[in-house]
Amino acid sequence: MTPRTRPDLETIPAYVPGRDFPGAIKLASNETTLGPLPSVLDAITDAAAGANRYPDNGSRVLPAALADFLGVDVATIAVGCGSVSLCQELVQATCDAGDEVVFAWRSFEAYPVVTQVAGAVAVKVPLTADYAHDLDAMAAAITDRTRVVFVCNPNNPTGRSLTRAEIDDFLAKVPEHVVVALDEAYFEYNRSDVDGIEIFRNRPNVVVLRTFSKAYGLAGVRVGYAVADPAIATTLGKVHIPFAVSTLAQAAALASLAATDELLARTDAVIAERDRVRDALLTAGYTVPQTAANFVYLPLGDRSADYAAAAEAEGLLLRPYGTDGVRVTVGDAHENDRFVAFACTDAALTLAGVPA
């Protein structure tokens, strides 16, 4: 007899990581191309010497440093194995079976996964015609079973960013008992007027999620954090897998905070390349939404898979999203040049349906 598992998990929408193969230009996973700073590598190396010991399960030093950095109380900080783990913990901490989690679609692919794992119901609200969150529709989708609303800003994979006024107007429509998670994984690339921490200060139902994986270049060590009302932060700790944030990850995050100015200066170069790539694609005739992240999005519909496959044949790994579109990470200048050259070929333009 086959051991029994939950039958509903047979239909779970599995998270699909970006692909890779030797020699490929990987523009699929929104990683930074620059490695950790020397000071961060030194901290990781030093921490590795104590790998025979369990990590600080309470991550006491890192939350204190984050609280000081952000100007919040340490009781509001929860640390996780990347911000995606905090997404899952938040749903587990707030939802019983049958409760609802509202989010835009398309948005971060982990949202429906963590929702179903918790036994909750995913409520997907279509994006607007210009690939942004439809906040009015999301507010209308909230019911008495809604427990969490995820707002990914800038949105992954479309790159669109909301304004502070738009978010404030939306939050005014959300019942105070419903948790609104502002997922700011790409916050450091966003030059808008939105800072989730400032919004959180006056709204206890807002939880801000951030990560060291993107602008800080620590995708491989897995560390992120949440800023939340102390009651929520404490509850996140109760569903947290013990020792999930490694000693190396905590050391790397601490060293990165100490080098924040140097690390975030890198984002200016990424933004310049992002705008250059988008301008080149627009000139070639593509539709490319405005983006506030470290990627551009091509809404290619049912042409997405073929387009990504053609790029892969040329050694370029992009991220297709079903029959919606293709996301392209901004890499180094020479990598971006390779992608733009491909995108402007007659074959690629034809595949994308760009008028001649």
Side-chain angles (χ1 to χ4, degrees):
M1 180 181 292
T2 303
R4 186 181 184 279
T5 59
R6 281 171 48 189
D8 65 299
L9 295 183
E10 294 179 5
T11 62
I12 197 166
Y15 180 82
V16 180
R19 296 184 59 202
D20 198 6
F21 59 79
I25 293 178
K26 189 179 181 185
L27 304 177
S29 298
N30 296 346
E31 301 149 326
T32 59
T33 57
L34 297 172
L37 295 174
S39 61
V40 178
L41 288 175
D42 288 343
I44 293 173
T45 301
D46 291 344
N52 57 309
R53 303 295 185 185
Y54 285 109
D56 172 14
N57 189 48
S59 305
R60 291 180 293 270
V61 178
L62 180 54
L66 284 164
D68 182 65
F69 177 73
L70 298 168
V72 298
D73 191 284
V74 69
T76 67
I77 302 290
V79 176
C81 184
S83 58
V84 66
S85 73
L86 291 157
C87 290
Q88 180 161 335
E89 290 171 8
L90 187 60
V91 176
Q92 290 176 317
T94 56
C95 292
D96 288 319
D99 286 338
E100 295 172 350
V101 179
V102 174
F103 49 86
W105 198 250
R106 247 185 215 273
S107 193
F108 184 31
E109 285 190 298
Y111 297 155
V113 176
V114 301
T115 298
Q116 188 168 343
V117 167
V121 177
V123 179
K124 300 179 179 180
V125 179
L127 297 170
T128 64
D130 57 353
Y131 313 104
H133 283 70
D134 189 338
L135 293 178
D136 287 339
M138 291 177 69
I142 295 173
T143 71
D144 59 0
R145 296 306 304 268
T146 304
R147 298 294 178 265
V148 181
V149 179
F150 281 106
V151 178
C152 187
N153 189 57
N155 187 45
N156 175 19
T158 65
R160 291 296 309 276
S161 176
L162 298 163
T163 66
R164 174 66 186 264
E166 288 172 329
I167 294 177
D168 285 342
D169 181 65
F170 170 69
L171 290 172
K173 301 173 185 176
V174 178
E176 292 181 356
H177 68 275
V178 174
V179 173
V180 177
L182 296 181
D183 187 347
E184 295 188 327
Y186 300 93
F187 170 77
E188 291 83 6
Y189 298 105
N190 190 0
R191 297 298 187 265
S192 78
D193 61 347
V194 176
D195 182 340
I197 304 300
E198 297 307 313
I199 296 172
F200 153 79
R201 295 186 197 281
N202 298 310
R203 293 187 179 273
N205 65 325
V206 167
V207 176
V208 182
L209 303 173
R210 291 185 183 172
T211 183
F212 286 91
S213 295
K214 307 303 181 185
Y216 285 91
L218 297 179
V221 300
R222 313 306 303 131
V223 58
Y225 60 94
V227 182
D229 181 84
I232 296 175
T234 298
T235 305
L236 290 175
K238 293 179 178 179
V239 299
H240 180 73
I241 296 175
F243 307 116
V245 184
S246 73
T247 301
L248 274 63
Q250 294 182 46
L254 285 165
S256 294
L257 281 178
T260 290
D261 290 345
E262 185 175 359
L263 283 165
L264 296 189
R266 297 177 174 185
T267 63
D268 291 334
V270 173
I271 289 170
E273 279 296 293
R274 176 191 75 196
D275 294 345
R276 182 176 74 87
V277 169
R278 181 172 183 265
D279 288 346
L281 293 170
L282 290 171
T283 299
Y286 285 84
T287 296
V288 191
Q290 188 72 42
T291 173
N294 67 333
F295 53 83
V296 296
Y297 181 71
L298 307 178
L300 300 180
D302 58 10
R303 301 170 181 267
S304 300
D306 289 343
Y307 189 91
E312 182 174 334
E314 298 298 321
L316 296 161
L317 291 176
L318 314 180
R319 183 67 176 270
Y321 286 85
T323 57
D324 291 329
V326 175
R327 190 190 69 195
V328 185
T329 303
V330 175
D332 291 334
H334 72 278
E335 296 174 327
N336 301 329
D337 287 343
R338 280 278 303 276
F339 166 66
V340 169
F342 160 78
C344 293
T345 63
D346 290 342
L349 291 169
T350 299
L351 276 174
V354 175

